[in-house]
């Protein structure tokens, strides 16, 4: 069953992409504190910090040790509700053009088995490409290696719901960090269902996970032999990492600091820009206002900018579809103390905020139930403040469309019980926002207090 951001992603996939490069990535080569400020209905509350921030992504994590095949264990684990994963320790051979990975077992008593898995973190999406994993028995000949490698490899799929930045991170980049970071770049990535724009857009992150060429698995004509291959990506939850499920004890704080390090942003202990330049009497806290282009738009955006300036902010207004490189956009977010926007993929850019930054999360009418899981908890887990403001019916364009007596306004729970499709149709795609800055003001003050 698809969630609301999945529906949003599918809508975006219907639109032509302007940033898709013509060139393909290489297909050859061998070589702190948490704070949640809940501002529903103009009130707010705070939660005390409870998480120490490490000064280096992955610090204190257990180092990777060479994998050895355990006795009498299955190659593939299909038990997780989110993802399937296969881990081949010993003699693994990838055959890209047939989307196959073969395992030559170390025991002579092994029975031949075969699995077909979607090699991404959302195994229930039917259009994610499958990879076949075969464990050979003693009577089956192993394909001859045409290239041999000393490093491990990870085979995973793109496609799915990518092209929506929330899904880019939640479905691929965070799971890839969970799966690949342990190797300290000494791992090769083989991508099936390759999307050239993805590799180009996120190459800064990918190059911090591998020092080798990225292989376009579908067009690879080699039989590559590796001592260790993982097929699929591990995932803990929506834009989330749970340390108790990671042998390396990774956290979302580790992930955010890893991303910041990849883009060359200031180190973990550098204060947010306002605090770093507090001696400047003219310094104002800087907030990025994300103005969505299609749905859940701010109808009164100029008035919102004026109101934010009245509260003492320097406002950086951006369009989430702005034509700029992610490297440039990451630096722009880093220069801000807070990021503000309506519930949607643009808020995912909070990964570029400094520790102590604040996410100001405007929740459209009727979808309060999904707000915390997609953005609130991830923000807190990354050591950021989180302000959540649920708009009133008067602030929603749905009121004018349906009126006070319609179920859409009177009883959102009934609409929700009709399923995700109805929620998406009504509250996600038909709704825009007319933000009441007077009602919103007390909540915004909580974000200011956190920054100060």
């Amino acid at each position: 069953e698809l969630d609301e951001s999945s529906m949003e992603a599918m809508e975006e996939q219907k639109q032509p992409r302007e940033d898709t490069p013509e060139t393909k990535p290489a297909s050859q080569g061998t070589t702190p504190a948490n704070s949640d400020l809940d501002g529903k209905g103009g009130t707010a509350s705070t939660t005390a910090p409870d998480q120490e921030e490490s000064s280096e992504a992955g610090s204190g994590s257990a180092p990777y040790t060479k994998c050895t095949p355990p006795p009498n264990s299955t190659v593939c684990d299909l038990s997780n509700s989110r993802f399937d994963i296969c881990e081949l320790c010993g003699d693994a051979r990838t055959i890209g053009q047939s989307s196959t990975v073969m395992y030559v077992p170390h025991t002579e008593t092994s029975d031949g088995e075969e699995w077909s898995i979607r090699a991404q973190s959302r195994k229930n999406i039917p259009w994610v490409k499958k990879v076949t994993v075969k464990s050979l028995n003693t009577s089956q000949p192993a394909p001859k290696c045409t290239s041999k490698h000393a490093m491990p490899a990870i085979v995973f799929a793109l496609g799915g719901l990518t092209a929506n930045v929330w899904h880019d991170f939640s479905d691929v980049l965070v799971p890839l960090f969970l799966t690949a970071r342990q190797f300290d770049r000494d791992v090769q990535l083989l991508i099936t269902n390759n999307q050239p724009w993805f590799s180009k857009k996120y190459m800064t992150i990918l190059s911090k996970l591998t020092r080798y060429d990225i292989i376009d698995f579908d067009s690879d004509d080699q039989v590559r032999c590796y001592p260790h291959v993982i097929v699929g990506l591990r995932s803990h939850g929506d834009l989330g990492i749970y340390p108790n499920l990671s042998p390396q004890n990774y956290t979302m704080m580790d992930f955010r600091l890893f991303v910041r390090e990849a883009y060359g942003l200031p180190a973990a202990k550098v204060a947010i820009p306002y605090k770093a330049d507090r001696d400047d009497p003219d310094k104002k806290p800087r907030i990025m206002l994300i103005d969505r282009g299609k749905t859940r738009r701010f109808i009164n955006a100029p008035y919102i900018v004026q109101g934010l300036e009245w509260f003492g902010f320097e406002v950086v207004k951006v369009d989430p579809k702005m034509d700029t490189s992610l490297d440039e956009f990451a630096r722009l977010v880093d220069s801000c103390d807070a990021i503000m926007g309506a519930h949607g993929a643009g808020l995912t850019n909070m990964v570029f905020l400094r520790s102590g930054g604040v996410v100001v999360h405007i929740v459209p009418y009727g979808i309060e139930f999904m707000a915390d899981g997609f953005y609130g908890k991830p923000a807190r887990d990354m050591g950021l403040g989180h302000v959540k403001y649920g708009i009133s019916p008067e602030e929603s364009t749905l009121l004018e469309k349906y009126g006070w007596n319609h179920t859409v306004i009177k009883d959102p729970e009934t609409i929700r019980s009709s399923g995700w499709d109805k929620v998406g149709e009504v509250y996600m795609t038909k709704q825009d926002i007319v933000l009441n800055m007077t009602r919103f003001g007390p909540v915004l003050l909580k974000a200011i207090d956190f920054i100060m």
Side-chain angles (χ1 to χ4, degrees):
E1 189 170 328
L2 300 182
D3 52 45
E4 57 90 9
S5 61
S6 303
M7 295 184 295
E8 179 183 356
M10 287 188 288
E11 285 297 316
E12 292 190 3
Q13 285 183 328
K14 296 176 184 177
Q15 306 299 323
R17 290 191 57 82
E18 298 179 357
D19 60 341
T20 302
E22 294 181 2
T23 58
K24 295 183 179 182
S27 60
Q28 300 293 330
T30 59
T31 51
N34 298 337
S35 180
D36 189 22
L37 315 177
D38 190 338
K40 183 177 181 181
T43 61
S45 62
T46 61
T47 303
D50 63 0
Q51 180 177 342
E52 291 293 331
E53 176 180 330
S54 61
S55 61
E56 182 179 336
S59 65
S61 300
Y64 166 75
T65 55
K66 185 176 181 180
C67 108
T68 55
N72 303 320
S73 66
T74 185
V75 169
C76 295
D77 182 359
L78 314 183
S79 63
N80 193 283
S81 61
R82 298 182 65 90
F83 66 94
D84 294 332
I85 196 159
C86 303
E87 187 155 11
L88 293 65
C89 289
D91 185 349
R93 310 183 183 197
T94 66
I95 310 171
Q97 290 183 333
S98 63
S99 296
T100 301
V101 180
M102 290 190 177
Y103 179 49
V104 183
H106 69 291
T107 64
E108 296 182 358
T109 59
S110 175
D111 295 327
E113 295 183 82
E114 181 172 322
W115 302 264
S116 183
I117 71 166
R118 295 187 175 95
Q120 209 194 82
S121 66
R122 286 181 178 263
K123 69 180 186 181
N124 295 321
I125 296 180
W127 59 90
V128 172
K129 190 165 183 177
K130 289 186 175 183
V131 174
T132 299
V133 177
K134 294 182 178 180
S135 178
L136 302 181
N137 61 33
T138 54
S139 64
Q140 294 175 296
K144 184 177 180 180
C145 303
T146 60
S147 62
K148 294 184 178 182
H149 308 261
M151 81 292 280
I154 298 173
V155 179
F156 67 97
L158 290 179
L161 296 171
T162 54
N164 169 291
V165 68
W166 189 90
H167 283 282
D168 292 347
F169 276 85
S170 183
D171 298 357
V172 177
L173 295 175
V174 172
L176 185 59
F177 171 85
L178 272 175
T179 310
R181 180 61 172 163
Q182 61 180 318
F183 300 111
D184 193 24
R185 298 184 69 228
D186 190 29
V187 63
Q188 189 153 50
L189 306 181
L190 292 81
I191 302 177
T192 187
N193 198 22
N194 190 28
Q195 311 287 314
W197 66 265
F198 188 99
S199 295
K200 180 179 180 181
K201 181 175 182 179
Y202 296 111
M203 184 52 68
T204 300
I205 296 176
L206 296 176
S207 64
K208 287 292 289 185
L209 291 171
T210 179
R211 62 170 57 93
Y212 304 105
D213 290 340
I214 295 174
I215 305 299
D216 185 336
F217 192 51
D218 299 331
S219 63
D220 186 34
D221 60 1
Q222 302 288 317
V223 176
R224 299 180 183 271
C225 295
Y226 297 93
H228 183 188
V229 172
I230 297 173
V231 181
L233 297 176
R234 295 185 174 90
S235 175
H236 293 170
D238 291 327
L239 200 60
I241 295 176
Y242 307 133
N244 61 317
L245 297 180
S246 170
Q248 293 77 28
N249 299 315
Y250 293 136
T251 67
M252 281 300 289
M253 178 82 77
D254 290 328
F255 177 75
R256 180 178 60 81
L257 297 179
F258 164 79
V259 169
R260 289 182 56 79
E261 181 185 355
Y263 285 95
L265 302 178
K269 293 184 178 179
V270 176
I272 55 176
Y274 177 75
K275 290 183 178 179
D277 299 326
R278 181 170 278 177
D279 293 338
D280 182 353
D282 298 323
K283 182 71 175 179
K284 296 180 180 180
R286 200 171 197 224
I287 190 168
M288 174 178 285
L289 177 63
I290 297 177
D291 191 12
R292 294 174 57 87
K294 294 186 296 183
T295 62
R296 285 157 277 152
R297 297 172 299 162
F298 290 123
I299 299 299
N300 59 339
Y303 172 69
I304 294 172
V305 171
Q306 183 181 9
L308 290 171
E309 291 173 343
W310 186 88
F311 274 96
F313 281 102
E314 176 190 351
V315 182
V316 179
K317 184 172 174 288
V318 298
D319 182 333
K321 299 298 183 185
M322 63 189 300
D323 184 18
T324 186
S325 73
L326 193 56
D327 295 62
E328 294 172 355
F329 195 73
R331 288 191 289 273
L332 183 60
V333 177
D334 171 73
S335 74
C336 297
D337 304 287
I339 185 171
M340 171 178 166
H343 184 93
L347 288 178
T348 313
N349 291 295
M350 62 185 171
V351 298
F352 302 119
L353 283 174
R354 299 185 191 182
S355 299
V358 184
V359 180
V360 183
H361 182 184
I362 310 301
V363 185
Y365 186 71
I367 64 168
E368 180 92 13
F369 69 94
M370 64 177 68
D372 194 70
F374 287 113
Y375 299 103
K377 188 178 188 305
R380 296 191 299 273
D381 288 348
M382 286 190 280
L384 305 172
H386 177 244
V387 173
K388 183 176 65 176
Y389 176 77
I391 73 169
S392 66
E394 292 93 338
E395 296 170 277
S396 171
T397 56
L398 294 176
L399 181 60
E400 183 179 351
K401 292 177 182 178
Y402 292 99
W404 281 104
N405 293 323
H406 197 281
T407 305
V408 164
I409 300 297
K410 189 168 57 176
D411 189 8
E413 186 61 32
T414 296
I415 303 296
R416 180 184 173 187
S417 65
S418 300
W420 284 110
D421 287 346
K422 195 66 177 177
V423 171
E425 176 191 348
V426 175
Y427 297 116
M428 302 301 293
T429 61
K430 291 184 177 180
Q431 178 171 201
D432 292 320
I433 298 168
V434 185
L435 195 63
N436 183 329
M437 291 300 291
T438 301
R439 182 175 183 268
F440 177 54
V443 178
L444 188 58
L445 287 175
K446 292 294 180 179
I448 294 174
D449 286 345
F450 190 84
I451 291 171
M452 298 296 183

